[in-house]
Each structure stands twice: as C-alpha cells, then as structure tokens.
Amino acid sequence: MTPMLSDLTNNILYETTYLQLYGLVFCYFLFLYIVLGPLFLSMCKMLTRAGIAHRIIEKEVTGKQIKRELLHSFQSIVIFGFSAFPVIYFIRTGVITLLPDSLANILLGIALLTVWNEVHFYIVHRIMHLPFLMKHVHYVHHKSVTPTVYSVYSFHWLEAVLLSTVPVTLAPFIPIAPLAIFLYPMASILLNFAGHCNYRLGNGKGSGWAHFATRHSAHHHSFSNKFGFASDLLDKLNDQLKKISSSDK
C-alpha cells in the first residue's frame, strides 16, 4: 500500500471525529446505492439484449414500488452511517487487531467477511421470518415481490440495524486489514445487486451459488422457505438436519 493511502487510512481510523466518520460512511453507502445501482441495472439490460442474461420474473415493476424502495433504502443508509462507530471504537481501544493492508490480507479479509455474511444473513433472515417479525418488520423488504436493484437496502429500520453488524461481529475475533473492512460494503452490494436485479445468467436451472439470483427472486415472489443468500449450503444443511430429526422419531 502506498504511503499516501496508508496515511489516509490511519487518519480515518484514528484522527477523525465520530461526526466526520458518520458523514464519510453515509456518503460512501449513498454512492454505492445511487451510482452503482443504475450502472448494474444498465449492465443487466445490455447483457439481456446480447442474449447472455434473462429476466427472471416478467411482471413489470411500478414507479410506486421504486419510490418506496428508494425511501426505505435512504432510511437504511442513514442507519448504516452509524455502523462504523463500534468498529472504530474497538479499533481505537485495541479490541480489534488490524493486519497490514497487503493485497493478500485485503483479499482474504473480504473473503472472510463475505463468508461470515452468509452465516450472519441466514441467522438474521430466519429470525425475520418468525411470525411477529415477518408481520411487523421483514414485510417491508418483501413488499418488493419482484425485486430490483433498488430493493437491496429497502428494509425496516430494525432489520437495517441487524444487517449492518457484519464487520463488528467478526473483526473483534479475527484480525482483518482496514481496507478489507472499507471495501467489503462494495463487494456486498454488488452481490446484493446480483441477487435482487431480477436478471440471471444462462437458463437459471440447478442449484448452488451460480443460481442464487433465481433462488432469491423466488423467495421474494413466492415466499419460499430458503433463507440463504448467495449460497444454499445452510439451507441444505438445515434440510438434512430435519431429515435426521424426523428419522429419529
């Protein structure tokens, strides 16, 4: 990492006030959402015209849905702005140990955060589908029966709080490079765009991570009982445990 980038990272980690930190994180998430979202959608449409990608659900999305998604997503971004506070506090108090920002450490950190997000999301998602929380909290996200790139942050405020805790629930236990933590939201939202854009590559048949866009669209559209996101491994494990439990009775 260059000395200039190192100085900038250290300044953000140790010198910025929490108000300045909030402004930086809020603008970062807002940029990811309002700039990368339309670009990702344009790419999907371009690939569709080329016959490489295909729409999953043909039902047209209304302007009312997009407006609702934008409103709830802005609320979520306001909440996400606070997500850096505990991370920075734990860094400054020595609870979180940081690794040097080498390329290997950055890539490994992003990979670890992405894998942990699968577990974290699965747990939160299962909780959100409990009857009370489904009715009063998670219903906001499921209003997007046909998901779009604008529904990626369309949450009830409580769900936004829970989903924003991925880094702070991992970094205190596993040392991570600072730039991995910084770049993770970009990797995460790109994965979420792919899962919510309502476009798929190829025929979308089969299982596994390559077909997660089809699976997640089905979850939005028909409330399927699959709670994983990019991977269906935890859903398969849960199904196996249910079979074992049933056979023991």
Side-chain angles (χ1 to χ4, degrees):
M1 188 173 68
T2 65
M4 182 179 295
L5 188 55
S6 179
D7 290 343
L8 177 61
T9 302
N10 285 330
N11 183 264
I12 293 173
L13 291 177
Y14 300 106
E15 303 297 332
T16 55
T17 67
Y18 282 95
L19 182 59
Q20 291 170 330
L21 182 67
Y22 180 87
L24 288 170
V25 176
F26 173 83
C27 290
Y28 179 38
F29 276 101
L30 190 63
F31 168 82
L32 293 177
Y33 182 76
I34 67 173
V35 175
L36 296 190
L39 289 176
F40 195 96
L41 181 58
S42 296
M43 181 189 70
C44 290
K45 291 180 178 180
M46 180 184 69
L47 292 175
T48 300
R49 289 193 294 270
I52 299 172
H54 306 276
R55 288 186 67 180
I56 299 170
I57 301 170
E58 292 298 333
K59 183 180 178 181
E60 291 297 328
V61 175
T62 65
K64 183 179 179 180
Q65 175 180 325
I66 299 297
K67 183 178 179 180
R68 183 183 67 247
E69 290 172 346
L70 290 170
L71 180 63
H72 282 290
S73 293
F74 182 78
Q75 174 185 266
S76 295
I77 292 170
V78 170
I79 292 169
F80 293 162
F82 293 101
S83 64
F85 284 17
V87 175
I88 294 298
Y89 176 78
F90 286 150
I91 289 173
R92 293 177 179 179
T93 55
V95 175
I96 291 177
T97 302
L98 297 175
L99 297 177
D101 274 321
S102 66
L103 179 60
N105 285 340
I106 294 168
L107 294 178
L108 178 61
I110 293 173
L112 286 171
L113 284 164
T114 301
V115 171
W116 169 237
N117 178 68
E118 283 297 310
V119 179
H120 182 278
F121 176 84
Y122 185 85
I123 295 169
V124 172
H125 200 190
R126 286 297 300 266
I127 293 171
M128 286 294 107
H129 273 264
L130 294 174
F132 178 83
L133 292 175
M134 183 71 231
K135 181 178 180 180
H136 298 284
V137 178
H138 193 49
Y139 79 95
V140 171
H141 191 61
H142 269 284
K143 277 187 173 182
S144 300
V145 177
T146 301
T148 75
V149 294
Y150 302 108
S151 63
V152 296
Y153 287 162
S154 182
F155 303 120
H156 183 279
W157 67 265
L158 179 58
E159 188 168 1
V161 170
L162 293 175
L163 291 175
S164 71
T165 61
V166 173
V168 77
T169 51
L170 180 69
F173 309 101
I174 300 178
I176 295 179
L179 276 179
I181 298 175
F182 177 77
L183 292 174
Y184 167 70
M186 183 179 296
S188 176
I189 199 171
L190 289 174
L191 198 60
N192 271 276
F193 285 150
H196 289 86
C197 64
N198 195 35
Y199 289 87
R200 55 174 170 76
L201 297 175
N203 58 23
K205 296 178 180 178
S207 61
W209 69 269
H211 306 284
F212 80 95
T214 305
R215 290 198 313 273
H216 198 67
S217 288
H219 179 77
H220 271 262
H221 194 255
S222 58
F223 283 68
S224 69
N225 61 345
K226 301 301 180 184
F227 303 105
F229 187 60
S231 171
D232 60 352
L233 181 61
L234 292 175
D235 283 311
K236 287 181 176 179
L237 178 60
N238 184 57
D239 291 341
Q240 288 299 318
L241 291 174
K242 285 181 178 179
K243 288 181 180 178
I244 293 172
S245 178
S246 298
S247 64
D248 290 340
K249 292 180 180 179

